[in-house]
Amino acid sequence: MASPADKVRVKTMMPPGHVRAPAYLRGKIGVIERPLGEFGNPELLAYGHTDGPKKPLYRVRFTMAEIWGDAAETPTDTIDAEIYGHWLEPAP
Amino acid sequence: MPHDHHDHDHFHHDGMSPSGHPYRADNDEPLSYWQCMEIAVRELLIEKGHVTPAEIAAQIEAMDARSPANGAAVVARAWTDPAFKARLLADASAASAEMGFDIGGLRLIAVENTGDVHNVIVCTLCSCYPRNLLGLPPDWYKTRAYRARTVKEPRKVLAEFGLELPETTQVRVHDSTADMRYIVLPARPAGTEGMDETALAALVTRDSMIGTGLPKTP
Amino acid sequence: MSEKFPFDGRRWHDMGGQDAGPVTPAEHDFALWEKRVDALQVLMSTKGHFTVDGLRRALEDMGEDAYEKYSYYERWIAAVNQNLIEAGLYTLEELGEKMDEARTRGETYGEAARG
């Protein structure tokens, strides 16, 4: 389980199908804003599998600079998104 | 742009409904394929005992009863009661339920606007919205333009709503990607000292709770 | 998606950060048939016949063309129906016959729905 302020990177994988990790955040590094607890896995629920293991969910905060680089409107503005634990890896 | 509904002319206010929106061409229009499917699905579910007409009517009534006024009451309470505000920021679902609102399984997070921070809510992947508190989302919330651009150029999007933010204000965008829904707790406007909760609630607009607007000033 | 770039796995509904035009602050009051679609979605998912993710999956799989062509609740009834068919609550034959029968009741939604 990740803890508040931990640095995490959203995995870059691009499997087909129903996932809730937005493409614009994949590969981007953010900071855990808060853990939210465990929730059903949308990647199973979407296909009718309601008995699968739950997944931890986190609110992760990213800076506009991290996401959009030089194209950021205001680099210090932020985006918070909810990302399931299996989409996150520790970041240096 | 997607046809998230048929043409309306926003410069004509004659013939608008009491909510200020166009009346919907509804029961008198030629039956569409999709309307026909709705009739068939609903009747099959009723015939097979999966749902009753009373359950459908009650669900429509419950959804109709949810409106931005519910959120406005929550905001006004937070503006006048510091202990309630602390509870709202800690657990917005519990705080809303405490005020008697039927929010079902809504898991709500309140994000607070201050002098330095402005929050705005979007759902880039679909149309997630705190519907069990505020009612159904406005059409623009579900458009490609709002979903695509709010995470990249929020200040330009807000400017299109007439909200120009200074560079000294930090913008925090919240993308509702999973199980939480968000409501903005706007900052209490200046000049409202001494106003009671009811009067304050009347200043709280729907857009100020999405973050695309500010509360009205007295 | 431009044909100049190979497909990278990003799907059409995953819109964050894409270019798009100005936001037009359109809204409308919902029609009865739209409220019924919304109610059926809530009731049937609450009863456990499908999940919200199942609804989203069907909407996503309908493709971008459907998003551009059809209204929100038109897409929703299609997705609700897709999930109910998958759940086995009724068959396509039953649906087809019921739609044909409803169509014979009149020219308008009000007549076909009998209110």
Side-chain angles (χ1 to χ4, degrees):
Chain A
M1 290 285 278
S3 307
D6 282 0
K7 277 173 79 176
V8 290
R9 182 170 177 268
V10 182
K11 292 182 185 175
T12 54
M13 61 187 183
M14 281 289 201
H18 179 76
V19 302
R20 299 296 292 181
Y24 74 92
L25 293 176
R26 295 193 203 169
K28 306 300 181 190
I29 293 172
V31 172
I32 300 285
E33 192 268 345
R34 72 179 85 164
L36 296 163
E38 298 214 319
F39 292 86
N41 180 357
E43 295 158 33
L44 295 175
L45 294 173
Y47 301 95
H49 306 297
T50 52
D51 298 331
K54 293 193 166 193
K55 295 287 188 179
L57 182 66
Y58 301 94
R59 273 183 87 204
V60 185
R61 181 162 294 173
F62 305 85
T63 64
M64 292 289 186
E66 166 68 13
I67 300 171
W68 308 115
D70 292 341
E73 187 182 50
T74 299
T76 51
D77 287 346
T78 63
I79 295 182
D80 288 8
E82 296 151 48
I83 309 288
Y84 294 92
H86 62 288
W87 275 90
L88 297 174
E89 55 197 12
Chain B
M1 93 163 250
H3 304 183
D4 247 10
H5 263 291
H6 308 291
D7 303 344
H8 7 93
D9 180 349
H10 287 277
F11 303 98
H12 276 190
H13 291 281
D14 294 336
M16 293 287 173
S17 77
S19 66
H21 306 141
Y23 280 108
R24 289 287 300 129
D26 185 2
N27 285 13
D28 302 331
E29 289 283 294
L31 179 69
S32 74
Y33 180 85
W34 306 104
Q35 289 175 335
C36 188
M37 184 182 286
E38 182 280 315
I39 294 168
V41 168
R42 177 165 43 85
E43 292 186 3
L44 284 170
L45 292 174
I46 292 167
E47 283 168 21
K48 290 172 177 287
H50 296 299
V51 71
T52 66
E55 284 177 302
I56 296 168
Q59 173 58 31
I60 291 175
E61 197 174 319
M63 210 57 228
D64 279 349
R66 292 168 172 143
S67 81
N70 295 359
V74 171
V75 168
R77 175 75 53 91
W79 283 349
T80 53
D81 179 344
F84 179 80
K85 178 177 160 184
R87 293 200 293 282
L88 180 70
L89 293 174
D91 184 344
S93 296
S96 303
E98 176 191 322
M99 289 189 67
F101 295 119
D102 167 22
I103 57 166
L106 175 69
R107 301 186 62 111
L108 190 65
I109 289 178
V111 290
E112 183 184 13
N113 284 354
T114 65
D116 318 313
V117 172
H118 183 88
N119 294 279
V120 59
I121 313 302
V122 64
C123 174
T124 60
L125 296 175
C126 50
S127 56
C128 299
Y129 184 79
R131 67 200 322 262
N132 281 9
L133 185 66
L134 302 185
L136 298 174
D139 291 341
W140 56 259
Y141 186 84
K142 306 181 280 191
T143 58
R144 176 186 298 281
Y146 188 75
R147 289 168 54 181
R149 293 178 51 226
T150 302
V151 290
K152 189 165 186 185
E153 42 184 21
R155 291 168 187 268
K156 282 203 192 94
V157 170
L158 296 179
E160 288 164 21
F161 282 89
L163 180 54
E164 304 262 3
L165 294 172
E167 282 295 319
T168 50
T169 298
Q170 188 192 41
V171 175
R172 287 187 189 158
V173 181
H174 302 269
D175 190 354
S176 315
T177 49
D179 297 272
M180 302 293 140
R181 300 293 175 266
Y182 297 88
I183 182 175
V184 175
L185 171 59
R188 180 170 171 166
T192 57
E193 300 76 12
M195 286 175 69
D196 68 14
E197 233 177 282
T198 309
L200 287 168
L203 302 177
V204 182
T205 62
R206 179 197 63 205
D207 288 8
S208 73
M209 295 180 281
I210 303 174
T212 53
L214 296 177
K216 292 182 266 190
T217 47
Chain C
M1 176 159 307
S2 166
E3 289 173 12
K4 278 187 236 167
F5 301 99
F7 183 56
D8 66 356
R10 182 184 182 125
R11 302 177 78 216
W12 71 269
H13 69 279
D14 192 350
M15 294 180 186
Q18 306 284 87
D19 292 335
V23 180
T24 313
E27 35 197 299
H28 76 282
D29 290 334
F30 294 98
L32 176 59
W33 82 272
E34 294 178 303
K35 293 182 183 190
R36 283 173 166 164
V37 172
D38 198 89
L40 289 176
Q41 186 275 324
V42 172
L43 288 166
M44 300 316 285
S45 57
T46 304
K47 288 168 186 266
H49 297 296
F50 59 85
T51 65
V52 172
D53 287 294
L55 182 87
R56 291 175 180 145
R57 183 255 312 163
L59 290 164
E60 291 162 10
D61 289 353
M62 262 180 248
E64 188 161 22
D65 192 47
Y67 179 79
E68 299 296 349
K69 268 189 188 152
Y70 304 122
S71 74
Y72 189 75
Y73 282 108
E74 287 172 344
R75 285 176 273 128
W76 267 41
I77 189 59
V80 166
N81 176 63
Q82 174 79 23
N83 276 268
L84 293 174
I85 289 285
E86 288 170 359
L89 267 58
Y90 51 82
T91 65
L92 285 174
E93 180 186 0
E94 289 172 310
L95 177 70
E97 286 177 355
K98 181 64 87 178
M99 286 176 72
D100 270 358
E101 189 263 304
R103 224 177 263 121
T104 65
R105 298 174 194 165
E107 303 274 304
T108 66
Y109 177 78
E111 287 165 349
R114 301 195 179 111

